[in-house]
Amino acid sequence: MRTDSSPGTLPAREHLPAGNAGTPVLDVVIPVYNEEKDLHPCVRRLHEHLTRTFPYAFRITIADNASTDGTPLVAARLEAEIPEVAVFRLEQKGRGRALRTVWSASEAPILAYMDVDLSTDLNALLPLVAPLISGHSDLAIGSRLARASRVVRGPKRELISRAYNLILRGSLQARFSDAQCGFKAIRRDVAQVLLPLVEDTGWFFDTEMLVLAERAGLRIHEVPVDWVDDPDSTVHIVNTATDDLKGVWRIGKALATGSLPLDRLTRPFGDDPRDRDIQDVPKGLARQLVGFCVVGGLSTVFYLLLYSVFRQFSGSQVANALALLVSAVANTAANRRLTFGVRGRGGAVRHQAQGLVVFGIGLALTSGSLAALNAATGNPAHSTELAVLIAANLAATVLRFLLFRVWVFSDRGEDCGGSTMIATHTPSSPTCTTTVPYGPSGPLPQRPVPQQPYRYQTTQVRAGEAADGSWRDATMRLQPVRSHDTDPGDPR
């Protein structure tokens, strides 16, 4: 996997404010290989649609992947005829290579791509990029598998697509619904950090980018699309499927071994309500309750197994005490990490000490139940003892959760020297930070100083030469291209 350095963590999302239209807001990349027949009508249709419906400056970039037919001539003619069209020539094939190269060189704050066959209805383009312009999301994808999508294609492609996405869900725990639809967009500040981590240069590029983004906690917006299969598609299904499965294995192995530096993608969500110090609002009660129940269920099974083992060579009271002690230490550690999200070693000893106090209460309840059972029956059966212990543990469990929540793992922030504990939801650990005033969107980090824009022009490069490692401000000053877009008298 790629481990080369990246510019740093992502700034908090911001809406791209209106301003001058000197820089294109949207750069739509069309990767092509030997598409002399479809390229001209595709670009003409896309340009007409954007001119009619998109209110900001845009650019259409033709990424020629070493075509050997008349595609370069068609692309050059389109560039000469349409001011918003640019051509990028690469001497190596690979859709992923083309997208990485062109996206890395583009100065537009929103980067998108679509297939040259225009199988996806263009009316979905504005809904695709709008969440990125507004700052709501980091990436956006068109989905042919969403319930609201309307798709026309053969049963073979339908089966392959659904099987592939089931594989992604089962092996990589992917939650997005459609990895291979050729209709995606990404914010430029995200691409600058994410693309150096993506290794694939072919058709698996999309999937790898989405999996890494999702695992890093970035927000992916899905748009239902109307999609009609292209019967003349040049995609080789068997070779593509084989390469995709190899990519799934590679990514799964990297995630399992922890070799992916996903911490580079952490974003300080300054506008996230979970980062605010809100009074009198329970924090994560439902999630904590579910986590506590799961940990409690496993702990109960562990406790009963220990009790059965210890009961072979000791009395019921001793076996109960030993089983409770061992399971209590494990239960406190599991709840500390999984239920209440406490990371690091700070306060671990105190938490275990308080957990032992809670254990003492549970011991009193269960021991008292056993004593009452022995007093009532004299020599109870083992199954009866287990039933009584289960009932007593249920009562102790409710009390344990309340004590854990309000006492052991409370949000008082005493370990931070009087500061406020911020429980972040990024891959990094919760940190202690001094309390600062929040604006409407929370505290935002200082953004990098913007540099001079990159002047985009037709050129020939080897793969990787056009990658721009500089960090530029993705928040551009925008304004509608056409004056009638803001004219209150416009009948539209």
Side-chain angles (χ1 to χ4, degrees):
M1 300 304 298
R2 293 176 178 269
T3 57
D4 44 324
S5 61
S6 62
T9 58
L10 297 168
R13 300 192 203 99
E14 293 180 357
H15 192 294
L16 301 179
N20 70 71
T23 300
V25 176
L26 173 65
D27 191 350
V28 182
V29 180
I30 304 176
V32 293
Y33 173 72
N34 291 347
E35 297 286 356
E36 60 179 352
K37 176 183 177 182
D38 295 332
L39 181 58
H40 187 274
C42 164
V43 173
R44 282 291 183 182
R45 180 180 164 195
L46 175 60
H47 180 265
E48 187 277 332
H49 177 83
L50 288 171
T51 303
R52 179 170 48 86
T53 64
F54 195 69
Y56 301 113
F58 63 87
R59 177 171 58 230
I60 301 172
T61 302
I62 302 171
D64 182 7
N65 291 344
S67 295
T68 57
D69 63 355
T71 298
L73 297 178
V74 176
R77 186 164 62 249
L78 287 168
E79 183 182 34
E81 296 173 355
I82 306 175
E84 291 85 5
V85 172
V87 180
F88 217 104
R89 168 77 178 183
L90 292 93
E91 298 303 334
Q92 291 178 274
K93 290 178 60 178
R95 182 178 69 170
R97 178 182 287 110
L99 291 177
R100 179 189 293 117
T101 304
V102 177
W103 279 355
S104 298
S106 178
E107 75 277 16
I110 306 298
L111 310 170
Y113 96 89
M114 63 180 59
D115 293 334
V116 69
D117 57 18
L118 293 185
S119 296
T120 305
D121 183 62
L122 292 178
N123 287 323
L125 182 56
L126 187 55
L128 183 80
V129 301
L132 308 186
I133 295 175
S134 69
H136 175 271
S137 302
D138 299 295
L139 299 91
I141 65 174
S143 176
R144 298 163 297 184
L145 302 182
R147 291 187 177 181
S149 297
R150 294 177 290 190
V151 177
V152 178
R153 60 177 167 183
K156 182 173 70 172
R157 284 184 173 269
E158 181 76 13
L159 177 62
I160 292 174
S161 179
R162 291 189 178 275
Y164 180 62
N165 283 281
L166 285 176
I167 291 173
L168 293 180
R169 289 176 178 269
S171 59
L172 301 179
Q173 287 77 51
R175 295 190 299 273
F176 48 85
S177 65
D178 193 350
Q180 290 289 24
C181 181
F183 198 70
K184 295 180 176 67
I186 185 173
R187 285 177 65 104
R188 180 180 176 274
D189 57 349
V190 177
Q192 288 286 338
V193 185
L194 180 60
L195 294 184
L197 303 180
V198 180
E199 181 175 325
D200 191 81
T201 60
W203 291 95
F204 188 69
F205 174 88
D206 304 53
T207 303
E208 185 172 354
M209 178 179 67
L210 291 174
V211 170
L212 297 185
E214 188 175 76
R215 286 300 186 99
L218 302 183
R219 178 175 287 168
I220 301 174
H221 178 75
E222 295 198 9
V223 178
V225 297
D226 297 340
W227 194 86
V228 179
D229 188 19
D230 179 15
D232 299 324
S233 175
T234 59
V235 177
H236 195 289
I237 297 178
V238 176
N239 291 343
T240 301
T242 302
D243 292 340
D244 286 346
L245 292 177
K246 291 179 180 178
V248 170
W249 170 261
R250 174 173 54 83
I251 292 297
K253 182 179 178 181
L255 292 173
T257 58
S259 61
L260 286 171
L262 297 181
D263 57 313
R264 297 178 186 173
L265 297 175
T266 57
R267 179 193 286 279
F269 293 90
D271 58 347
D272 197 307
R274 291 173 293 180
D275 290 338
R276 303 177 190 171
D277 186 16
I278 304 176
Q279 300 295 329
D280 301 324
V281 177
K283 298 180 179 179
L285 177 60
R287 182 192 61 79
Q288 290 177 358
L289 188 58
V290 171
F292 182 82
C293 289
V294 173
V295 173
L298 296 176
S299 298
T300 300
V301 174
F302 183 49
Y303 159 77
L304 293 175
L305 291 175
L306 289 175
Y307 177 82
S308 299
V309 172
F310 294 147
R311 190 67 174 85
Q312 301 298 320
F313 55 83
S314 63
S316 60
Q317 293 288 3
V318 175
N320 176 60
L322 290 175
L324 267 179
L325 178 60
V326 176
S327 61
V329 173
N331 180 274
T332 300
N335 276 306
R336 182 178 187 270
R337 173 67 174 83
L338 302 177
T339 303
F340 297 96
V342 180
R343 310 289 196 271
R345 299 180 180 179
V349 175
R350 177 176 63 83
H351 292 155
Q352 284 292 351
Q354 291 174 317
L356 289 177
V357 174
V358 178
F359 150 75
I361 298 175
L363 177 62
L365 285 174
T366 54
S367 297
S369 300
L370 282 176
L373 177 64
N374 288 328
T377 61
N379 188 22
H382 182 64
S383 59
T384 305
E385 287 183 345
L386 290 180
V388 171
L389 288 174
I390 290 173
N393 266 285
L394 287 176
T397 297
V398 176
L399 182 60
R400 186 184 304 119
F401 175 75
L402 294 176
L403 290 175
F404 274 171
R405 181 173 172 80
V406 303
W407 180 45
V408 181
F409 303 111
S410 63
D411 292 329
R412 293 175 299 176
E414 293 178 352
D415 290 337
C416 299
S419 61
T420 301
M421 176 68 76
I422 305 296
T424 63
H425 51 282
T426 60
S428 57
S429 301
T431 57
C432 296
T433 178
T434 55
T435 303
V436 296
Y438 278 77
S441 299
L444 299 178
Q446 184 176 358
R447 298 177 64 82
V449 178
Q451 301 176 4
Q452 293 298 320
Y454 176 89
R455 184 169 182 80
Y456 209 82
Q457 60 184 4
T458 304
T459 184
Q460 293 187 359
V461 297
R462 291 190 302 272
E465 282 186 347
D468 185 359
S470 62
W471 177 265
R472 299 191 189 92
D473 192 353
T475 302
M476 313 303 296
R477 306 298 298 179
L478 316 176
Q479 72 177 6
V481 175
R482 299 175 296 281
S483 59
H484 62 68
D485 287 329
T486 55
D487 186 0
D490 188 357
R492 293 187 304 168

